[in-house]
């Protein structure tokens, strides 16, 4: 047996030990590869997707690659951690440091190569699925058909062989094998708890409170200014939370014997504090990575909804038409006829209403105000499906658009409420109250008055025609086609909501997809960190439960201990990340002054749900393994 | 106290192997019995069956009038930690716990009060001479100390039957002597029945009675008289009669 044979056989005949490391390496390769399949799809090279999206994809690919590097490095080091005893034995048998490094290097290259090949194969299996998902999220005209991704294969193969080579060199260089005694006792000796100081624990709480407070307090543009300092403060706070505050709490719990010595608590807490150093590091990493994932996906989703929902709210009609200022009546008539023709062409049933918007002088100079007849308003309200207004004579109602906030100045309604409607005969009608609606589009707000009052208003300063169409439900595809034609023939005059939304989604799709992809990669990696943490200690745990079972441990007690242990591991970082994410999204909603509660709860809720399912799955297998070992 | 009637154990496999064959054994309350026999004779199988770690294929085991093998898994776990005490060759201490925590573990699992646990632990620690290491971790103490901790853990809930599997197997002769005299004193003071499996004739000579088994069957038994030295000699003789030369065992241990 040569040394090389020894190294390879060590891997091949020890499959169980290496499988976790192998799988996680394979997983990273697979993620990168599926992304590459998507990014190098022939449909994109045709130039139908804009430059920015392609650049975004390149950046995303880079992020995934860099992240893969750290992820593999982490898996590697936690894997080596669990093999301390083996190295100790080898050194005791006379292996030199150089030989052990050489062995680790060979193993790594071997596993890395296998993982790269297996990852590409697995990626090919998922390729069709990922392309289907991409097609639906992206809203692109061409379909993303399946192709044989030669370029993606070559790039993945080359970059990951390179990555594993670098990591193998790196790990074998930094591998420390100094003290034999420590290696041999490696699994029994605790790495110790990090030093828990009261001051730093308080500081952790303070940092988090200050960070959260600032994030929740600032509004508007200040959010951008405060973002970087808040991120630094909260990251530091999170680190101290796990390395100091949690250690401090566990210490206090351990010191209190009536809690620590209560039934299975002793097993749980002793284990927690025994692994506190490793746990704290894992918790911190998982919390931060998950926060990044939550915030990224939440931001993108919230931003998309902000854009689309805003437009939808402001435009209750299918198509609106407003002519240029200088257009003559003939041109307007011609345009309206054209729109009607297009709608007919596409077989769209639509109702049409038109209105002459009349502007009148006010007390102030250079300011006109729109005044609308109640019957006209109600016609449009009926068309758009909004509530109609009933007015008394001598009453005026101020209407403003809910979405339209003039930055800086006073709100439109406030100005109008202070003013009044002047009649020809010198009388004035005071506005009674403010209504928010999107029936007519006028940023500065307007008055609605009774038809009889309107007759006494006198001559308007200027007037413009406004026409709106509302299609019946369930004609989405035809409306889109019509919208496209309208956009081509009457650009800027005729406006189709559905078509604009379609355009926005189309432009936003790739960004959303990439964001989603990276977010999910981060989240799943966070899950793998936890999995590693758990299964690195599995052998020790089995040993422990085997010894306790000999003294007598009921199934229920075993389940209780394992359950709490895994729950703590899985949920403490995720709960922190969820809170971080919720604060970040609240800050975001303050920046846009747009309510993101629905979007945030969808994103955070689905992540929480996934985590719970993951927890249940892992717990099931873990308990099974432990139970089997004590039988 | 402990009664085995016609206990047999067959290990299924391609070739079925009969590890124990119709064993009948009875231990009185407060008696100290050692089981000896060559490797592969079924000593450990017998102990596993008594300690409820393993099921007999046929036959009955009765501990204090109850058959533990008829209990449910959970009841069995409770039975183990209330009625039985275990001492293992490799100590089986939890390395995440301190010595004191290891000792009180069985009571903790049962939900005893902290004050009671503290008292019992410190009393045992004094009598076993380990009060100075109570706050140490298990990898900081020697083998002899570890076995005394294990004895303390096995004794803290005052079990009716103490089962020991090669308790001196990992210890030098001085530590062995200390551990054995502690077991004897516990046996005498607390009237705890003691069953010990051992290879070590020196350790076996502390018992009241030595049962020899070979090939899964009871071979013979000898009782201790007044003199421990003579008893030791009888054990050596019996071992050499069972397999090999008179100096086989003595060269190993004594």
């Amino acid at each position: 047996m040569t040394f090389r044979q020894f190294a390879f056989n060590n891997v091949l005949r020890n499959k169980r030990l290496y499988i976790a490391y192998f799988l996680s390496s394979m997983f990273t390769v697979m993620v990168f590869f599926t992304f590459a399949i998507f990014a190098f799809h022939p449909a994109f090279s045709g130039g139908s997707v804009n430059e920015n999206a392609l650049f975004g994809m390149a950046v995303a690919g880079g992020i995934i690659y860099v992240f893969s590097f750290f992820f593999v490095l982490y898996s590697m080091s936690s894997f080596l951690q669990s093999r301390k005893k083996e190295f100790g034995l080898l050194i005791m048998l006379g292996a030199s440091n150089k030989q052990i490094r050489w062995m680790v290097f060979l193993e790594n290259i071997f596993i890395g190569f296998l993982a790269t090949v297996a990852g590409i194969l697995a990626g090919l299996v998922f390729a069709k699925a990922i392309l289907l998902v991409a097609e639906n999220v992206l809203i692109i005209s061409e379909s993303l058909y399946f192709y044989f991704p030669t370029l993606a294969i070559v790039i993945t193969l080359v970059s990951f062989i390179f990555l594993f080579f670098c990591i193998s060199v790196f790990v074998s260089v930094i591998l420390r094998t100094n003290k034999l005694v420590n290696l041999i006792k490696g699994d029994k000796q605790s790495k110790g708890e990090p030093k828990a100081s009261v001051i730093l624990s308080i500081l952790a709480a303070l940092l988090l409170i200050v960070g959260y407070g600032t994030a929740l307090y600032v509004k508007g543009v200040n959010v951008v200014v405060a973002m970087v300092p808040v991120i630094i403060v909260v990251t530091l706070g999170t680190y101290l939370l796990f390395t100091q505050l949690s250690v401090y709490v566990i210490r206090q719990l351990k010191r209190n014997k009536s809690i620590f010595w209560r039934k299975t608590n002793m097993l749980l807490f002793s284990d927690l504090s025994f692994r506190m150093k490793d746990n704290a590091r894992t918790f911190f990493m998982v919390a931060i990575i998950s926060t990044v994932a939550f915030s990224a996906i939440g931001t993108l989703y919230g931003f998309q909804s902000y854009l689309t929902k805003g437009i939808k709210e402001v435009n209750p009609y299918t198509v609106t038409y407003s002519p240029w200022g200088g257009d003559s009546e003939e041109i307007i008539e011609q345009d309206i006829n054209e729109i009607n023709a297009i709608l007919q062409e596409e077989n769209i049933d639509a109702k049409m209403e038109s209105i002459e918007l009349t502007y009148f002088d006010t007390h102030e100079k250079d300011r006109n105000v729109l005044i609308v007849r109640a019957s006209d308003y109600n016609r449009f309200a009926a068309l758009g499906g909004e509530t109609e207004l009933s007015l008394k004579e001598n009453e005026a109602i101020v209407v403003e658009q809910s979405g339209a906030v003039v930055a800086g100045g006073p709100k439109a309604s406030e100005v109008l409420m202070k003013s009044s409607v002047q009649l020809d005969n010198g009388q004035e009608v005071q506005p009674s109250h403010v209504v928010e609606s999107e029936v007519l589009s006028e940023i500065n707000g307007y008055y609605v008055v009774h038809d009889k009052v309107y007759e006494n208003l006198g001559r308007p300063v200027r007037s413009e025609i406004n026409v709106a169409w509302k299609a019946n439900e369930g004609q989405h595809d035809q409306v889109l086609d019509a919208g496209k034609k309208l956009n081509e023939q009457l650009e800027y005059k005729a406006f189709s909501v559905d078509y604009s939304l379609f355009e926005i989604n189309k432009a936003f799709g790739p960004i959303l997809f990439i964001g989603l992809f990276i977010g999910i990669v981060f989240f799943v990696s966070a899950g793998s960190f936890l999995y590693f943490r758990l299964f690195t200690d599995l052998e020790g745990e089995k040993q422990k439960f085997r010894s306790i079972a000999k003294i007598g441990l009921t199934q229920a007690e075993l389940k209780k201990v394992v359950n709490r242990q895994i729950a703590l591991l899985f949920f403490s970082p995720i709960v922190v990340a969820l809170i971080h994410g919720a604060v970040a999204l609240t800050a975001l909603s303050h920046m846009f002054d747009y309510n993101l509660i629905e979007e945030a709860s969808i994103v955070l809720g689905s992540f929480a749900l996934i985590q719970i399912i993951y927890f249940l799955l892992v717990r099931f297998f873990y308990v099974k393994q432990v139970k089997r070992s004590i039988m | 106290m402990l009664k085995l009637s016609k206990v047999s154990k067959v290990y299924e496999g391609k070739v079925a192997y009969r590890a124990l064959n119709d064993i009948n054994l009875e231990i009185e309350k407060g008696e100290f019995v050692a089981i000896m026999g060559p490797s592969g004779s079924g000593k450990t199988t017998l102990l596993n069956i008594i300690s409820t770690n393993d099921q007999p294929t046929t036959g009955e085991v009765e501990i204090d009038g109850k058959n533990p093998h008829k209990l449910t898994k959970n009841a069995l776990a409770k039975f183990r930690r209330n009625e039985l005490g275990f001492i293992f060759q490799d100590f089986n201490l939890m390395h995440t716990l301190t010595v004191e925590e290891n000792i009180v573990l069985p009571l903790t699992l049962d939900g005893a009060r902290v004050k009671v646990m503290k008292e019992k632990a410190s009393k045992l620690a004094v009598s076993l001479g380990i009060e100075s290491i109570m706050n140490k971790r298990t990898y900081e103490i020697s083998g002899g100390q570890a076995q005394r901790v294990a004895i303390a853990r096995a004794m803290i809930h005052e079990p009716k039957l103490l089962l020991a599997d090669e308790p001196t197997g990992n210890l030098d002769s001085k530590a062995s002597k200390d551990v054995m005299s502690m077991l004897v004193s516990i046996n005498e003071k607390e009237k705890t029945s003691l069953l010990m499996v051992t290879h070590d004739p020196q350790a076996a000579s502390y018992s009241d009675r030595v049962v020899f088994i070979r090939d899964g069957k009871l071979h013979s038994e000898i009782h201790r008289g007044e003199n421990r030295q003579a008893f030791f000699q009888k054990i050596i003789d019996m071992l050499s009669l069972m397999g090999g030369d008179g100096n086989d065992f003595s060269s190993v241990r004594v």
Side-chain angles (χ1 to χ4, degrees):
Chain A
M1 184 174 74
T2 64
F3 192 75
R4 210 175 329 112
Q5 277 174 325
F6 166 68
F8 282 119
N9 285 337
N10 209 9
V11 178
L12 287 176
R13 293 175 192 165
N14 239 336
K15 287 177 214 88
R16 281 182 66 96
L17 191 68
Y18 291 85
I19 200 86
Y21 174 57
F22 171 76
L23 284 180
S24 72
S25 304
M26 193 186 96
F27 165 77
T28 38
V29 177
M30 198 182 83
V31 166
F32 183 83
F33 179 62
T34 33
F35 190 77
I37 290 182
F38 166 72
F40 293 118
H41 196 282
F44 293 130
S45 46
S48 66
V49 176
N50 63 17
E51 292 279 301
N52 288 338
L54 285 179
F55 178 72
M57 264 189 272
V59 172
I63 293 176
I64 293 179
Y65 189 69
V66 171
F67 188 71
S68 305
F69 182 84
F70 287 108
F71 181 65
V72 173
L73 198 64
Y74 178 83
S75 330
M76 182 72 222
S77 65
S78 70
F79 172 57
L80 287 180
Q81 210 47 258
S82 63
R83 295 176 57 201
K84 267 187 172 175
K85 208 170 179 180
E86 186 193 332
F87 292 146
L89 189 67
L90 281 174
I91 291 176
M92 211 150 65
L93 291 174
S96 66
N97 266 349
K98 211 172 132 197
Q99 276 173 315
I100 286 190
R101 282 177 184 170
W102 179 234
M103 184 182 89
V104 171
F105 176 79
L106 282 177
E107 271 178 6
N108 244 314
I109 285 285
F110 185 54
I111 294 177
F113 182 74
L114 286 183
T116 310
V117 173
I120 288 176
L121 288 177
L124 277 175
V125 174
F126 287 111
K128 184 61 197 167
I130 199 92
L131 289 176
L132 264 178
V133 171
E135 205 178 304
N136 287 321
V137 177
L138 283 178
I139 315 182
I140 36 179
S141 27
E142 301 100 309
S143 66
L144 288 173
Y145 52 89
F146 181 78
Y147 71 111
F148 193 76
T150 323
L151 186 60
I153 289 179
V154 171
I155 286 188
T156 312
L157 203 65
V158 170
S159 33
F160 272 89
I161 298 257
F162 177 71
L163 184 143
F164 279 113
F165 181 78
C166 289
I167 286 182
S168 309
V169 172
F170 186 62
V171 164
S172 57
V173 167
I174 59 159
L175 184 72
R176 268 174 294 173
T177 50
N178 35 14
K179 273 190 186 162
L180 187 54
V181 169
N182 290 344
L183 287 180
I184 299 267
K185 276 188 180 170
D187 54 338
K188 290 214 172 126
Q189 215 155 5
S190 168
K191 269 177 234 156
E193 300 173 14
K195 275 186 192 122
S197 88
V198 187
I199 300 166
L200 284 176
S201 302
I202 295 170
L203 186 67
L206 275 180
L207 281 175
L208 286 178
I209 291 169
V210 168
Y212 282 171
T214 326
L216 292 176
Y217 177 72
V218 291
K219 297 231 155 42
V221 194
N222 290 336
V223 173
V224 183
V225 183
M227 194 163 79
V228 174
V230 165
I231 287 175
I232 293 172
V233 164
V234 170
T235 310
L236 204 65
T238 313
Y239 183 74
L240 290 179
L241 171 75
F242 287 126
T243 54
Q244 300 289 330
L245 194 57
S246 65
V247 176
Y248 185 75
V249 169
I250 287 174
R251 281 224 174 140
Q252 292 305 316
L253 282 176
K254 262 183 92 172
R255 202 164 292 165
N256 186 345
K257 287 226 159 57
S258 61
I259 295 175
F260 183 46
W261 283 19
R262 232 184 88 78
K263 299 209 163 180
T264 47
N265 280 359
M266 190 148 96
L267 296 175
L268 183 70
F269 288 137
S270 72
D271 211 76
L272 270 182
S273 70
F274 185 72
R275 297 190 215 297
M276 207 55 230
K277 214 164 194 168
D278 293 328
N279 280 345
R281 214 185 306 149
T282 314
F283 282 7
F284 171 67
M285 274 173 55
V286 169
I288 293 299
I289 288 173
S290 308
T291 308
V292 172
F294 296 167
S295 314
I297 292 180
T299 306
L300 286 171
Y301 183 54
F303 199 62
Q304 192 212 21
S305 109
Y306 170 68
L307 285 179
T308 53
K309 238 191 198 167
I311 289 179
K312 231 182 209 162
E313 263 171 20
V314 180
N315 296 283
Y317 313 110
T318 315
V319 178
T320 49
Y321 169 76
S322 46
W324 301 121
D327 282 351
S328 66
E329 276 182 38
E330 290 93 68
I331 295 179
I332 294 173
E333 200 167 319
Q334 205 184 318
D335 284 347
I336 293 173
N337 285 340
E338 202 178 334
I339 295 172
N340 275 327
I342 289 173
L343 290 178
Q344 225 157 42
E345 233 173 81
E346 300 291 339
N347 285 325
I348 297 170
D349 291 332
K351 284 183 204 127
M352 185 186 95
E353 293 288 354
S354 72
I355 187 177
E356 191 175 9
L357 300 175
T358 47
Y359 290 84
F360 295 88
D361 260 333
T362 53
H363 284 305
E364 295 159 55
K365 276 181 189 167
D366 303 331
R367 223 179 74 89
N368 302 327
V369 65
L370 172 64
I371 301 178
V372 182
R373 208 183 276 139
S375 58
D376 282 344
Y377 179 88
N378 286 340
R379 269 193 302 131
F380 268 71
L383 183 69
E386 301 219 16
T387 44
E388 299 180 20
L389 295 175
S390 65
L391 282 102
K392 279 175 247 155
E393 258 181 81
N394 291 329
E395 192 189 7
I397 293 177
V398 174
V399 181
E400 77 172 332
Q401 288 177 281
S402 53
V405 179
V406 184
K411 277 178 91 176
S413 55
E414 282 167 20
V415 179
L416 291 179
M417 281 303 278
K418 274 181 204 151
S419 171
S420 61
V421 180
Q422 294 170 319
L423 300 182
D424 248 3
N425 54 16
Q427 282 184 303
E428 284 187 5
V429 177
Q430 294 295 332
S432 56
H433 60 279
V434 182
V435 170
E436 278 196 357
S437 89
E438 307 295 342
V439 173
L440 295 172
S441 170
E442 169 58 57
I443 289 174
N444 293 320
Y446 51 93
Y447 294 113
V448 177
V449 293
H450 196 271
D451 287 16
K452 278 184 188 158
V453 177
Y454 185 83
E455 304 301 327
N456 299 327
L457 281 174
R459 288 192 62 79
V461 186
R462 63 188 168 92
S463 71
E464 30 180 88
I465 300 280
N466 227 332
V467 190
W469 287 261
K470 176 80 177 177
N472 296 344
E473 295 282 314
Q475 310 183 86
H476 188 73
D477 291 345
Q478 292 109 292
V479 169
L480 270 187
D481 290 338
K484 199 175 177 196
K485 282 184 191 163
L486 288 173
N487 197 42
E488 281 159 9
Q489 292 173 24
L490 289 164
E491 213 185 353
Y492 304 122
K493 283 200 217 172
F495 175 79
S496 158
V497 190
D498 298 74
Y499 184 68
S500 317
L501 287 181
F502 174 75
E503 287 280 282
I504 289 175
N505 280 335
K506 193 172 154 187
F508 209 70
I511 304 172
L512 190 67
F513 179 76
I514 293 168
L516 213 65
F517 201 93
I518 296 187
I520 288 169
V521 167
F522 273 49
F523 184 63
V524 174
S525 317
S528 320
F529 281 136
L530 293 176
Y531 180 85
F532 261 115
R533 180 72 261 142
L534 205 57
F535 280 83
T536 318
D537 301 329
L538 180 61
E539 273 314 307
E541 289 296 283
K542 279 185 185 170
Q543 184 71 45
K544 184 180 89 180
F545 283 114
R546 221 176 287 145
S547 356
I548 308 172
K550 280 182 187 163
I551 305 170
L553 187 76
T554 63
Q555 299 273 332
E557 282 164 342
L558 171 80
K559 264 195 174 163
K560 199 162 127 194
V561 178
V562 173
N563 199 4
R564 287 187 183 173
Q565 204 172 320
I566 304 178
L568 265 173
L569 189 64
F570 268 65
F571 292 120
S572 49
I574 290 296
V575 165
V576 170
L578 283 175
I579 296 172
H580 283 359
V583 171
L585 293 181
T586 313
L588 186 78
S589 79
H590 284 166
M591 184 160 113
F592 293 119
D593 198 16
Y594 176 75
N595 198 343
L596 276 176
I597 288 182
E598 195 186 320
E599 288 77 15
S601 29
I602 288 175
V603 170
L604 298 181
S606 32
F607 275 119
L609 188 72
I610 294 171
Q611 187 75 6
I612 290 170
I613 293 170
Y614 184 41
F615 162 73
L616 292 176
L617 266 179
V618 168
R619 189 186 63 173
F620 174 75
F621 286 112
Y622 192 83
V623 170
K624 209 168 115 187
Q625 286 245 21
V626 171
K627 265 192 189 165
R628 196 191 299 148
S629 78
I630 64 171
M631 280 308 131
Chain B
M1 173 66 221
L2 171 71
K3 193 176 168 198
L4 276 74
S5 40
K6 296 200 165 177
V7 168
S8 297
K9 176 75 188 177
V10 178
Y11 286 114
E12 303 289 346
K14 276 185 186 146
V15 181
Y17 174 68
R18 185 172 280 266
L20 288 179
N21 198 356
D22 274 349
I23 299 274
N24 290 304
L25 181 69
E26 216 170 315
I27 295 176
E28 300 297 319
K29 186 169 166 43
E31 199 183 6
F32 182 179
V33 176
I35 296 177
M36 296 194 79
S39 297
S41 58
K43 300 188 298 291
T44 306
T45 308
L46 182 64
L47 192 74
N48 277 340
I49 286 174
I50 294 168
S51 66
T52 69
N53 278 332
D54 209 347
Q55 295 276 339
T57 314
T58 57
E60 295 257 322
V61 178
E62 243 179 52
I63 298 175
D64 216 16
K66 276 177 278 182
N67 184 344
H69 293 288
K70 286 191 178 146
L71 296 173
T72 62
K73 261 185 187 169
N74 283 339
L76 188 60
K78 293 245 164 70
F79 175 81
R80 257 189 229 172
R81 73 180 181 223
N82 291 331
E83 316 279 324
L84 303 179
F86 295 96
I87 300 166
F88 304 92
Q89 179 173 7
D90 52 1
F91 321 131
N92 235 329
L93 298 173
M94 316 267 311
H95 62 255
T96 56
L97 300 178
T98 65
V99 166
E100 188 184 23
E101 287 159 8
N102 260 300
I103 294 173
V104 296
L105 184 60
L107 289 181
T108 312
L109 289 175
D110 241 20
R113 283 179 42 222
V114 173
K115 211 178 137 202
V116 177
M117 289 192 271
K118 275 247 165 214
E119 268 169 24
K120 286 192 172 175
S122 65
K123 220 163 114 191
L124 272 171
V126 171
S127 70
L128 290 168
I130 48 175
E131 65 269 41
S132 59
I133 54 164
M134 287 296 261
N135 289 319
K136 289 212 162 142
R137 295 283 292 280
T138 52
Y139 59 83
E140 296 171 316
I141 59 179
S142 72
Q145 286 172 324
Q147 194 59 293
R148 276 183 274 174
V149 173
I151 292 173
R153 183 180 66 180
M155 289 304 301
I156 192 154
H157 54 292
E158 289 150 13
K160 297 193 178 103
L161 178 63
L162 197 58
L163 300 167
D165 184 8
E166 303 269 11
T168 59
N170 267 337
L171 305 179
D172 66 60
S173 54
K174 168 76 174 66
S176 297
K177 271 180 196 159
D178 290 350
V179 164
M180 286 320 297
S181 28
M182 264 162 213
L183 285 178
V184 168
S185 79
I186 284 169
N187 172 244
E188 280 168 0
K189 262 194 266 167
E190 315 284 335
K191 294 282 171 243
T192 311
S193 313
L194 236 164
L195 181 70
M196 174 177 76
V197 163
T198 187
H199 260 124
D200 180 358
Q202 180 83 47
S205 69
Y206 283 86
S207 66
D208 302 329
R209 170 160 69 116
V210 180
V211 177
F212 294 90
I213 55 177
R214 189 162 81 169
D215 300 334
K217 280 183 245 168
L218 284 190
H219 182 266
S220 59
E221 61 175 49
I222 42 179
H223 290 257
R224 178 181 167 181
E226 287 302 303
N227 190 337
R228 199 170 72 79
Q229 193 55 46
F231 189 43
F232 174 67
Q233 198 52 53
K234 273 201 270 180
I235 293 169
I236 294 279
D237 292 346
M238 180 56 82
L239 285 173
S240 47
L241 181 74
M242 279 170 72
D245 306 326
N247 54 9
D248 266 4
F249 285 90
S250 21
S251 65
V252 174
R253 267 291 163 210
V254 186

